[in-house]
Amino acid sequence: MDALRPRSATRTPLLLGGVVVLVCAVLLVLTVPGDDGPDAPPGRAACEPLSVTGWRPAPELTAEFARYGDDNTRLDDWTGGDGSRSVPLPDGRTLWLSADTFLDRVHPETAFGGPSRDPSPVWVRNAGLVMSPDGTLERTLLGPGPGALFPGLADPDGGEVWRWPVQGVVEPREPGAAERVVRVLLWQRGTGTGPWVFGVPRATEVATLRLPELTVESIRPIDVPPSADPAERVLYGTSAVRAGAWTYVFGADERTAHGRAARAHVARVPLGRLADRAAWRYWDGDAWQADPARAAPLPVGARPAHEPRRGASNTYTVARHGGTWLLLTTDAGGPDGRGLTTVTSYWACAPQGPWHGPSDVLVPPLPEGGEQAGAVAYNPQLHPALGPGREHGTEPAPGGGGLVLGYDVNVVGSTAAVQRDVELYRPRFVRLDLSAKGR
């Protein structure tokens, strides 16, 4: 592994890397007691077809990120980012994980438009935000410099290699231990060209953060896909679902870069061993086994032969609701970043599928003026810490019931647009209603 080389914040404008998830779907993480699908003992909730029956805006959450981002009390904290994911902490706080993140000053609304950033603001490859139990964003977590919370690497030729955090979970430091830590799955990516302008997929890693300080203790490798073709490389962590004694970690290859649906995969790890690569077991179509090269794609989206291929994108979300597993994704099957405007859902009776669908869920609404600016909505994420299903039993944030779904907004290929209007590079939120068939 290359030597760690912390990278400080930069003012070099680049296309915002997190938009690789433009075709990505949501990470839904719901904690449910008990064992998974086929191993579940008698008496567990029955598996039934599950669908999203409605949605409504959650303006109080969107406004909280706007309030924090516009506050110039500090000039070295979050003003916008993407890849937004949340981790409920044992003390009632929430850790938010952000991929490419703007820092620096926000200029107030003027006669020429809404709040704006400097033309070349400071930004870093990743960061964390801490939200209090009452739903107030309080501080930004960065590395020295200020730099990325999870520092980058240098490849042998001196090119940039960065880390994007995906899902994080709280688990025992080791099996049976009383002490808990935060484990954050990371995607390691490097500089690329052509369809890889948002980074070449390189490896899956796991970082360990100490509680309650949220300091980074270590980053350990999990899997380095061997394929010479980046589109065939599977990175894990787009979703992580705790069920019984296991954490199920979902991943995908990156065929979306070539305009095809990604192939979804799943692994499982005993609680307390997420950072132990030897403990990972990958589904090969028949059984759980230790060799990631033998992992088999999940059957997502059976369809008639005459229909175009549809399915998961290279990030998607999985949740467990009663006895049913739910997968949400932006509808894949087209080139990365073009035409993938609809979030669709699939359901299954086990994490390894088969997955039935798709069913349309919603077209995420854009900020005012977003359509005219060429903005897109992407990377939907479910946030159980902010609604029913919160892992640690603390009260959900105010604003009513329903599962909270967040998504990111960006203007692909135009950093100038997201500097002129800060709302074009910040998460937004809605609430979803679910229903099983016959209810």
Side-chain angles (χ1 to χ4, degrees):
M1 197 171 191
D2 299 318
L4 286 175
R5 186 182 70 179
R7 303 183 62 84
S8 60
T10 174
R11 289 185 179 269
T12 304
L14 294 177
L15 293 178
L16 304 177
V19 295
V20 72
V21 292
L22 263 172
V23 297
C24 300
V26 18
L27 174 91
L28 309 183
V29 180
L30 292 181
T31 300
V32 179
D35 301 310
D36 68 291
D39 301 325
R44 296 290 183 193
C47 175
E48 301 177 275
L50 188 65
S51 62
V52 178
T53 57
W55 66 273
R56 57 199 181 280
E60 74 287 352
L61 296 173
T62 302
E64 175 56 22
F65 276 83
R67 179 204 64 79
Y68 182 78
D70 291 346
D71 187 342
N72 286 326
T73 302
R74 295 183 63 102
L75 301 182
D76 60 351
D77 61 355
W78 185 97
T79 68
D82 70 350
S84 311
R85 305 167 192 263
S86 64
V87 186
L89 302 179
D91 59 7
R93 296 177 300 163
T94 301
L95 169 64
W96 289 83
L97 299 167
S98 179
D100 288 352
T101 300
F102 284 121
L103 310 176
D104 219 333
R105 181 183 300 276
V106 169
H107 301 283
E109 186 171 355
T110 68
F112 301 100
S116 63
R117 301 181 177 93
D118 289 334
S120 297
V122 172
W123 67 280
V124 291
R125 284 294 190 185
N126 59 72
L129 294 93
V130 180
M131 177 178 276
S132 69
D134 68 2
T136 301
L137 289 168
E138 295 182 325
R139 63 189 178 104
T140 300
L141 303 175
L142 297 168
L149 177 63
F150 306 104
L153 312 171
D155 67 23
D157 298 324
E160 182 189 7
V161 177
W162 63 89
R163 290 172 166 125
W164 279 337
V166 277
Q167 181 55 26
V169 299
V170 174
E171 68 170 7
R173 180 175 288 278
E174 56 189 32
E179 181 188 4
R180 288 190 281 182
V181 296
V182 180
R183 296 260 158 75
V184 177
L185 290 137
L186 304 173
W187 286 354
Q188 188 188 107
R189 308 185 75 89
T191 304
T193 59
W196 306 108
V197 293
F198 302 125
V200 176
R202 289 171 53 104
T204 301
E205 302 172 309
V206 171
T208 297
L209 279 63
R210 181 187 298 275
L211 286 170
E213 300 92 338
L214 297 172
T215 53
V216 179
E217 292 184 345
S218 63
I219 298 176
R220 295 181 180 176
I222 297 300
D223 179 46
V224 180
S227 176
D229 181 359
E232 301 295 319
R233 298 174 187 170
V234 178
L235 299 185
Y236 287 88
T238 184
S239 186
V241 181
R242 178 172 166 178
W246 303 93
T247 298
Y248 291 86
V249 185
F250 293 83
D253 63 22
E254 302 213 1
R255 293 184 171 200
T256 48
H258 297 310
R260 294 176 289 169
R263 296 179 301 181
H265 292 72
V266 65
R268 70 178 187 180
V269 190
L271 295 183
R273 300 189 66 184
L274 199 60
D276 179 2
R277 66 194 304 178
W280 283 57
R281 295 294 180 268
Y282 304 84
W283 181 250
D284 69 2
D286 295 305
W288 303 96
Q289 48 76 40
D291 183 2
R294 292 173 52 196
L298 302 181
V300 176
R303 63 192 64 79
H306 66 275
E307 287 189 5
R309 177 167 178 80
R310 299 174 68 185
S313 57
N314 60 319
T315 63
Y316 55 94
T317 180
V318 179
R320 194 176 178 197
H321 185 81
T324 307
W325 294 73
L326 181 69
L327 183 154
L328 275 78
T329 180
T330 46
D331 194 17
D336 193 348
R338 284 183 283 165
L340 300 175
T341 58
T342 302
V343 176
T344 57
S345 68
Y346 297 79
W347 66 271
C349 292
Q352 58 269 39
W355 294 90
H356 308 280
S359 297
D360 290 349
V361 175
L362 81 158
V363 176
L366 296 170
E368 183 178 355
E371 184 174 357
Q372 294 82 350
V376 291
Y378 61 104
N379 190 38
Q381 304 280 331
L382 185 70
H383 301 287
L386 305 180
R390 180 160 187 159
E391 176 178 352
H392 301 293
T394 54
E395 290 298 319
L403 299 177
V404 175
L405 179 74
Y407 57 93
D408 296 319
V409 175
N410 201 348
V411 180
V412 182
S414 177
T415 54
V418 300
Q419 320 308 28
R420 289 193 299 267
D421 185 349
V422 296
E423 295 299 329
L424 298 182
Y425 194 59
R426 284 178 177 169
R428 304 180 72 82
F429 300 89
V430 297
R431 294 182 183 270
L432 303 179
D433 298 315
L434 300 180
S435 177
K437 185 176 181 180
R439 294 184 181 179

